[in-house]
């Protein structure tokens, strides 16, 4: 073969290799740009989700605080109602004790009168409502 054909083949091969190298470099740049764009998209999505997560977390904390506050209010109302019930029970006990003391004094003063006045023979209380008073007790609403 002639020298110029060998030189021509070498030049063509070098040119093809250079063209291949340029094509590969361009493809790498395009792929890199595409990956950077995908990374930016992921970062934007991550920021949106982080913001949404913070909002949800704040709403959850607010809801939990509201539930704790409502529970404390219910517990306070319950405590007050129980205290009032204990006080009423204590007053009822005091009234019952006073009534029994008065009944005992009445029995001492006039034996047998207490049985005739306050109770029927079967032990039920008599209706002691006067003409201006209704026979039923007060109802609480």
């Amino acid at each position: 073969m002639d020298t110029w054909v060998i030189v021509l083949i070498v030049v063509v091969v070098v040119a093809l290799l250079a063209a291949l190298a340029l094509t590969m470099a361009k493809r790498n740049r395009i792929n890199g740009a595409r990956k950077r764009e995908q990374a930016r998209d992921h970062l934007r999505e991550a920021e949106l989700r982080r913001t949404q997560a913070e909002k949800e977390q704040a709403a959850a904390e607010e809801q939990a605080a509201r539930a704790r506050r409502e529970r404390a209010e219910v517990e306070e109302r319950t405590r007050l109602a129980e205290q009032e019930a204990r006080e009423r029970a204590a007053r009822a006990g005091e009234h019952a004790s006073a009534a029994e003391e008065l009944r005992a004094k009445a029995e001492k003063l006039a034996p047998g009168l207490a049985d005739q006045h306050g109770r029927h023979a079967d032990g039920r209380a008599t209706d002691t409502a006067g003409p201006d008073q209704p026979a039923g007790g007060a109802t609480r609403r």
Side-chain angles (χ1 to χ4, degrees), residues 5-137:
V5 174
I6 294 174
V7 170
L8 182 64
I9 292 173
V10 170
V11 169
V12 169
V13 169
V14 169
L16 286 176
L17 288 175
L20 182 65
L22 288 174
T23 304
M24 294 295 287
K26 184 176 181 182
R27 193 171 78 200
N28 286 342
R29 282 192 310 272
I30 291 171
N31 284 341
R34 188 178 308 127
K35 286 181 181 181
R36 282 190 299 278
E37 186 59 34
Q38 284 178 338
R40 283 188 202 101
D41 289 344
H42 288 314
L43 288 173
R44 280 192 290 269
E45 181 71 20
E47 181 63 24
L48 288 173
R49 288 185 181 222
R50 186 186 61 78
T51 302
Q52 184 180 16
E54 288 173 354
K55 287 179 184 178
E56 287 293 322
Q57 182 65 32
E61 289 172 359
E62 182 180 330
Q63 184 177 9
R66 185 173 37 252
R68 285 190 299 272
R69 187 171 45 254
E70 289 172 0
R71 183 178 348 116
E73 290 171 357
V74 166
E75 289 172 357
E76 178 65 14
R77 283 194 301 272
T78 301
R79 187 188 63 76
L80 290 174
E82 288 173 349
Q83 181 181 354
E84 182 180 339
R86 283 191 299 271
E87 290 170 357
R88 285 185 144 187
R91 282 195 306 271
E94 291 170 3
H95 288 303
S97 295
E100 189 55 40
E101 287 177 14
L102 290 173
R103 183 172 170 73
K105 285 181 185 178
E107 185 65 29
K108 205 180 244 187
L109 292 174
L113 181 62
D115 289 336
Q116 294 171 0
H117 181 67
R119 305 266 174 211
H120 288 288
D122 62 358
R124 291 180 297 128
T126 59
D127 187 6
T128 57
D132 295 337
Q133 297 175 327

